[in-house]
Amino acid sequence: MNLDQNKKNAIAFYKMAYEGNPVQAVAMYVGEDYIQHNPMVGDGPQAFIAYFERMQKEFPVKTIEFVRTIAEGDLVALHTHQVWPDEDEYVTMDFFRFSDDGKIVEHWDSIQQIPKTALNANKMY
């Protein structure tokens, strides 16, 4: 298992889907079976595609910055900063499990909205 390649593939997959091309992202990076733990998205590649196609249609203008990427064993973790319409900001942590042949086969995530005020000056990303 190539950890550096898995990190690159996780970023490319997420970026491609996020920016509006989930069909290509799935074709290039996802295995036959895809287990989804986000309760807003169904299992399988088609459910992933449908979710991101809807997100692109509803929110075509958004940005993502990949702040940190960590790989260990068959897992890759991504820490992102996202800006959505009306300057609505989120920090996410996504975990991808890779198969032995380098395909994404499972996903977990945690999403938190960045508040307008904080009790410290530290960024969440």
Side-chain angles (χ1 to χ4, degrees), residues 41-53:
V41 184
D43 274 336
Q46 284 310 121
F48 175 87
I49 290 168
Y51 176 81
F52 273 91
E53 285 179 339

Side-chain angles (χ1 to χ4, degrees), residues 12-58:
F13 168 71
Y14 199 131
K15 184 174 174 57
M16 191 178 291
Y18 186 90
E19 292 179 346
N21 199 347
V23 172
Q24 184 178 358
V26 165
M28 292 178 68
Y29 300 107
V30 172
E32 286 185 37
D33 296 317
Y34 180 75
I35 301 166
Q36 178 63 254
H37 294 275
N38 181 323
M40 304 303 291
V41 184
D43 274 336
Q46 284 310 121
F48 175 87
I49 290 168
Y51 176 81
F52 273 91
E53 285 179 339
R54 182 173 57 84
M55 288 294 102
Q56 183 63 21
K57 183 177 178 183
E58 292 177 11

Side-chain angles (χ1 to χ4, degrees), residues 6-118:
N6 285 355
K7 289 192 315 188
K8 289 176 186 173
N9 288 351
I11 290 171
F13 168 71
Y14 199 131
K15 184 174 174 57
M16 191 178 291
Y18 186 90
E19 292 179 346
N21 199 347
V23 172
Q24 184 178 358
V26 165
M28 292 178 68
Y29 300 107
V30 172
E32 286 185 37
D33 296 317
Y34 180 75
I35 301 166
Q36 178 63 254
H37 294 275
N38 181 323
M40 304 303 291
V41 184
D43 274 336
Q46 284 310 121
F48 175 87
I49 290 168
Y51 176 81
F52 273 91
E53 285 179 339
R54 182 173 57 84
M55 288 294 102
Q56 183 63 21
K57 183 177 178 183
E58 292 177 11
F59 306 101
V61 179
K62 57 194 176 299
T63 63
I64 188 168
E65 173 190 4
F66 296 91
V67 181
R68 289 174 189 82
T69 306
I70 300 167
E72 181 178 299
D74 61 356
L75 298 174
V76 172
L78 301 179
H79 186 197
T80 76
H81 172 226
Q82 300 181 15
V83 181
W84 288 67
D86 300 323
E87 299 301 310
D88 197 13
E89 294 183 78
Y90 294 85
V91 63
T92 71
M93 300 204 194
D94 290 83
F95 297 86
F96 299 94
R97 183 173 62 84
F98 282 77
S99 63
D100 289 339
D101 64 347
K103 297 294 186 178
I104 296 170
V105 295
E106 194 163 8
H107 172 255
W108 301 259
D109 63 2
S110 179
I111 302 169
Q112 183 177 3
Q113 188 171 25
I114 298 174
K116 301 295 182 202
T117 62

